[in-house]
Amino acid sequence: MPTEVIVNVEQGVSILSINNPPVNALGVGVRQGLFDALEQAENSPDIHAIVITGAGRTFIGGADIREFGKPPQEPLLGAVCNRIEACKKPVVAAINGVALGGGMEVALCAHYRVALEQARMGLPEVNLGLMPGAGGTQRTTRIVGARAALDLILSARQVKPDELLKLGIVDQVSEYSSAADAGLAFALHIEQQKMGVRPTRERTEGLSNDADNRAALLEARTQQEQRAKHLFSPFRIIEAVEAALDLPFDDGLAFERSLFTQCMESSQRKGLIHAFFSERAVAKSPETRNSKPRTLNSIGVVGGGTMGAGITAALLDAGFPVVMIERDQESINRGKASVDKIYARQVAKGRITDAQKTILMDQQFSASTQFSDLAQADVIVEAVFEDMDVKKAVFEQLDAVAKPGAILATNTSYLDIDEIASSIARPADVIGLHFFSPANIMKLLEIVVAEKTSPDVVSTAFLLAKKLSKVAVRAGVCDGFIGNRILGYYRQCADYMMEDGASPYAIDEAMRNFGYPMGPYQVSDLAGGDIGWATRKRKAATRDPNARYVHIADRICERGWFGQKTGRGYYLYENGSRVGKPDPDVEAIIEATRAEAGIQPREFSDKQIVQRYMAAMINESTNVVADKIALRPLDVDVTLLYGYGFPRWRGGPMKYADEIGLDIILKDIQTFSKEDPLFWKPSRLLVELVERGDTFESLNK
Ligand code: 3H9
């Protein structure tokens, strides 16, 4: 028998513990082990009941995602589930930790379920572009009805025991500390009460309120159309839940299976699973493998502007005491007020209580004008104005006051961290922590490793990111690091298209249809056009005089139109509206700029817009990997997914390129390069990969 299922017999009850670390995924060994152990228990005259539980912290984390895309191996999970349900002796699922996806489906096939306090159940397959494929849609609907089933499956949320009990998904929330003991006690209770078997397929509670079930289906479809109509699996989930109401159980199962197979074959499934594994892989850098983090208890933040306040809130949320340093009392008052405002909003939304806010602001947070108050900080994050001289002046002060071994981090978006580090006596302690605005909300953190940064400083930065619940990506030093460097390039491509004939509104629409929540010009209006304007002015002196330069953005900014905050940018925001309307004045500026440059505007279809935008993004992403600014293509993918709104279901630009075919992307770049060879220089690495017939995925290994 496979070792992934450990069998113990106590008082006539066979206790099957699934033992497949780290998350007890339902790989072929577990499936076979469960099948065999059930068979054995059913045939043994000394056994009167069976308990299924998980060894370790987890009940079952779901189907083994690593098996997806490979030829399926018998026994399939659906068959194992049916076998559990068909068992002639009562089966109890004793849920010790998370029971997710296939894990919840296994539990639903048991005749009874008991949950420990720390148990969580959920069907999160939709996050992977999938749907429950081993009876989850049919059995959940039979127990809780279509409305609750749709809520559970479409939201992917993990449900706590009290709600599971209320929904009738579990029969008991147990106070036992061991799930095996809880399951055993329940099995003995079944025997005593002669409760017998109770196949879920025969349950009908959820099917009884037909009018509400039908209304729930309609509402779910409408909501899905409004929220994410381009996603494939949510609509299949709705169809499967509907089938649970309309079809006999076995037909419903077969229908669910056919929809599951369609989801499995979809490119969205591939993109989402790539995103799942990539976001775990980015946490493993050479430094985190080989060096231990330094002490990480107290943190200082220099600067109380938007970034400083957001970073402070992120740190306070993670439970750190934070000292904020500003140059004078007035700036302190402003910084403190900004942090206070973040929490006041959270109180208003009911996310935290007033009492919690008081603890955060009065006990965890303090502010000072004295750099010497940072003397005990383990990490100091500098978040002052984006200017090399200003930052260097701060670092000089930090060098004077910080204790030996303190980590000195700069929250810069573009500046040369090597230059900052070499300006002080302890460059090994300097690192970049590039937070994204709003820093207490955005998940991405670029950890920028400078030439002399010590490996244990990098490890500490990754530990800090974990404590802040951020997705951290290791980046090297260059102008813009991973994300902003790539953004700069594809934004330039968008500007070229705009000057050549595509309106910003058409570009935005094409990119929204591609899956972005907003187009690049909407983002610019939201972030504020003045930021990019300042950067362009900063770089003007060093710009290649032969490179094409589009003046449209400058012309708009010169009028003081910085986007939403000024009521107009690329769009017009009338009466304080946050939804912009196309602006004829902007169209006139674009036309005038085209005329000035002697450009005859031409048409761009949605497809052509996407083709150029993506070719630019992929080309520069490849350069970023070739230059070792990103460790692997997957690090680029995670950066653009978490910091730049790239549609998750496409997996990231590198995954997208693999799906399209690198030869096709290269051919596009070569075609565009005939118009502008300086901008469209095919990345050397891209050419090499095409010559080798290779993919970006091959570089992720
Ligand atoms: C499904 O069930 C389909 C069925 O309906 C139908 C089938 C017919 N498989 O996240 P962590 C790895 S679809 C393989 O850092 P945590 C993960 O890659 C599935 N591996 O831990 C990582 O590996 P590494 C539905 C898996 O404690 C390690 O485990 N289920 C799986 O923070 C630790 O992971 C889901 O969608 C898996 N299923 O969180 C649940 N899960 O160390 C997906 C994890 O090499 N999983 N790994 O980097 C999760 O949400 C979280 O991993 C979990 C643990 C909450 C379980």
Side-chain angles (χ1 to χ4, degrees):
M1 194 179 283
T3 54
E4 286 93 333
V5 177
I6 301 165
V7 182
N8 277 309
V9 176
E10 279 187 52
Q11 300 178 58
V13 177
S14 183
I15 300 171
L16 318 184
S17 298
I18 294 157
N19 180 37
N20 186 25
V23 299
N24 293 338
L26 291 156
V28 64
V30 173
R31 301 198 299 273
Q32 189 65 55
L34 272 174
F35 209 93
D36 295 348
L38 273 162
E39 200 84 2
Q40 207 174 55
E42 195 176 56
N43 293 331
S44 163
D46 303 331
I47 302 293
H48 60 82
I50 295 146
V51 169
I52 300 175
T53 191
R57 283 192 308 129
T58 314
F59 177 71
I60 298 170
D64 189 339
I65 303 170
R66 291 177 206 277
E67 288 182 358
F68 292 172
K70 298 182 188 155
Q73 283 177 276
E74 306 271 349
L76 298 184
L77 184 59
V80 176
C81 284
N82 289 341
R83 180 69 190 85
I84 295 170
E85 193 178 47
C87 188
K88 295 192 189 75
K89 295 175 181 173
V91 182
V92 179
I95 302 153
N96 51 311
V98 291
L100 300 178
M104 174 153 167
E105 291 177 302
V106 164
L108 290 175
C109 290
H111 304 129
Y112 302 93
R113 285 161 287 283
V114 291
L116 299 190
E117 284 294 346
Q118 67 269 26
R120 301 284 182 272
M121 292 177 83
L123 293 163
E125 289 90 340
V126 71
N127 287 341
L128 303 174
L130 285 171
M131 55 180 282
T137 60
Q138 306 304 295
R139 291 190 175 91
T140 309
T141 309
R142 275 176 168 70
I143 299 173
V144 302
R147 183 173 295 280
L150 288 167
D151 164 51
L152 288 179
I153 308 172
L154 292 172
S155 73
R157 68 193 174 91
Q158 293 186 16
V159 186
K160 292 183 181 166
D162 49 349
E163 189 183 348
L164 290 168
L165 190 64
K166 224 184 274 167
L167 285 168
I169 293 176
V170 301
D171 300 283
Q172 187 187 69
V173 180
S174 173
E175 283 169 3
Y176 277 91
S177 58
S178 141
D181 290 348
L184 176 63
F186 201 86
L188 296 174
H189 170 73
I190 291 171
E191 167 80 350
Q192 202 184 32
Q193 299 294 317
K194 308 220 174 316
M195 287 155 69
V197 300
R198 184 188 57 167
T200 305
R201 64 171 63 211
E202 289 168 14
R203 294 178 63 169
T204 53
E205 298 93 303
L207 308 183
S208 56
N209 189 347
D210 197 51
D212 187 57
N213 280 332
R214 301 288 162 191
L217 286 163
L218 199 66
E219 284 164 33
R221 274 203 178 92
T222 313
Q223 265 177 20
Q224 197 59 43
E225 291 280 353
Q226 286 164 351
R227 277 192 208 144
K229 64 172 187 290
H230 50 274
L231 291 184
F232 183 73
S233 74
F235 292 99
R236 307 295 84 74
I237 287 166
I238 299 169
E239 286 170 34
V241 169
E242 188 166 34
L245 303 178
D246 293 331
L247 298 182
F249 187 80
D250 283 326
D251 293 352
L253 273 191
F255 185 63
E256 178 197 79
R257 183 76 201 165
S258 71
L259 296 176
F260 176 79
T261 307
Q262 287 177 31
C263 294
M264 188 62 102
E265 285 162 3
S266 70
S267 63
Q268 294 190 0
R269 188 275 295 169
K270 290 184 200 154
L272 286 164
I273 288 187
H274 173 77
F276 177 87
F277 283 125
S278 298
E279 79 192 37
R280 282 159 179 79
V282 287
K284 293 166 194 150
S285 76
E287 292 88 353
T288 53
R289 282 198 202 99
N290 299 321
S291 63
K292 282 214 176 92
R294 295 184 184 175
T295 312
L296 184 54
N297 293 322
S298 63
I299 305 198
V301 174
V302 183
T306 309
M307 283 315 288
I311 294 168
T312 300
L315 294 165
L316 293 172
D317 286 343
F320 287 107
V322 180
V323 188
M324 179 191 273
I325 302 292
E326 260 295 1
R327 63 186 153 211
D328 51 38
Q329 194 54 45
E330 200 184 309
S331 308
I332 285 191
N333 293 347
R334 253 201 316 269
K336 190 171 177 189
S338 300
V339 182
D340 198 273
K341 200 165 142 197
I342 291 172
Y343 288 122
R345 233 179 277 144
Q346 294 191 12
V347 172
K349 287 187 177 160
R351 294 210 184 116
I352 59 168
T353 61
D354 247 326
Q356 283 167 320
K357 174 172 175 267
T358 308
I359 292 173
L360 286 163
M361 290 305 296
D362 296 354
Q363 292 177 23
Q364 268 178 254
F365 175 78
S366 60
S368 163
T369 52
Q370 303 298 318
F371 271 84
S372 55
D373 284 334
L374 294 173
Q376 292 314 311
D378 297 317
V379 175
I380 303 169
V381 185
E382 163 279 308
V384 300
F385 187 62
E386 186 79 343
D387 176 278
M388 183 56 86
D389 291 337
V390 177
K391 298 227 185 235
K392 275 188 187 166
V394 169
F395 269 78
E396 196 184 324
Q397 304 229 45
L398 295 181
D399 201 7
V401 299
K403 66 180 179 186
I407 293 174
L408 310 181
T410 170
N411 169 61
T412 173
S413 318
Y414 288 96
L415 298 179
D416 182 348
I417 300 174
D418 286 326
E419 189 180 334
I420 298 174
S422 62
S423 72
I424 60 166
R426 36 174 137 177
D429 295 334
V430 176
I431 194 162
L433 292 180
H434 180 208
F435 287 85
F436 288 71
S437 185
N440 58 319
I441 292 172
M442 289 289 284
K443 292 284 275 182
L444 182 64
L445 179 68
E446 276 182 308
I447 293 181
V448 192
V449 181
E451 199 189 333
K452 297 207 171 111
T453 309
S454 161
D456 62 348
V457 170
V458 181
S459 278
T460 318
F462 272 96
L463 177 65
L464 175 64
K466 193 168 175 201
K467 287 184 185 276
L468 299 182
S469 305
K470 301 266 181 227
V471 175
V473 178
R474 185 195 190 281
V477 176
C478 69
D479 192 359
F481 316 128
I482 299 177
N484 281 348
R485 171 169 160 184
I486 298 167
L487 168 74
Y489 197 75
Y490 65 77
R491 272 295 275 114
Q492 211 172 331
C493 167
D495 286 352
Y496 292 166
M497 284 192 278
M498 176 164 64
E499 196 176 49
D500 286 339
S503 87
Y505 316 119
I507 295 172
D508 279 351
E509 195 183 343
M511 296 324 296
R512 281 198 306 273
N513 289 340
F514 180 78
Y516 274 91
M518 282 186 209
Y521 296 101
Q522 289 173 292
V523 172
S524 169
D525 274 4
L526 182 68
D530 47 335
I531 299 172
W533 195 28
T535 310
R536 288 194 297 280
K537 284 194 244 179
R538 177 166 59 80
K539 290 185 180 172
T542 52
R543 205 168 42 228
D544 181 348
N546 298 317
R548 180 175 171 189
Y549 186 79
V550 176
H551 292 273
I552 298 169
D554 294 345
R555 299 277 179 277
I556 293 173
C557 288
E558 281 156 15
R559 287 166 170 77
W561 300 349
F562 297 147
Q564 285 193 20
K565 62 184 171 191
T566 56
R568 64 196 302 183
Y570 287 95
Y571 292 81
L572 202 53
Y573 302 89
E574 283 170 340
N575 307 322
S577 168
R578 298 185 65 181
V579 183
K581 286 199 332 201
D583 185 344
D585 291 345
V586 167
E587 284 171 326
I589 292 172
I590 296 171
E591 264 171 43
T593 318
R594 280 178 196 148
E596 243 172 69
I599 290 168
Q600 193 62 36
R602 59 190 153 115
E603 294 267 325
F604 284 86
S605 67
D606 269 21
K607 193 173 160 216
Q608 287 169 322
I609 291 171
V610 169
Q611 214 173 357
R612 280 178 186 251
Y613 200 85
M614 288 311 301
M617 191 185 298
I618 293 160
N619 202 36
E620 192 59 6
S621 298
T622 317
N623 286 331
V624 160
V625 174
D627 294 349
K628 300 196 168 33
I629 299 301
L631 285 176
R632 300 147 294 194
L634 68 83
D635 296 81
V636 172
D637 282 339
V638 172
T639 303
L640 293 210
L641 289 178
Y642 279 95
Y644 298 83
F646 194 92
R648 187 177 169 89
W649 49 275
R650 293 191 186 273
M654 307 306 257
K655 176 69 181 169
Y656 172 79
D658 274 351
E659 289 293 305
I660 296 284
L662 300 193
D663 52 339
I664 292 174
I665 303 286
L666 178 60
K667 220 176 271 167
D668 283 347
I669 295 168
Q670 286 163 340
T671 308
F672 306 147
S673 113
K674 289 183 189 132
E675 291 165 20
D676 183 352
L678 195 60
F679 181 76
W680 291 106
K681 260 193 253 140
S683 165
R684 184 181 41 78
L685 178 59
L686 184 61
V687 175
E688 276 172 29
L689 287 170
V690 172
E691 280 170 2
R692 293 207 302 260
D694 235 331
T695 57
F696 287 128
E697 182 57 30
S698 68
L699 305 179
N700 284 333
K701 304 264 164 17

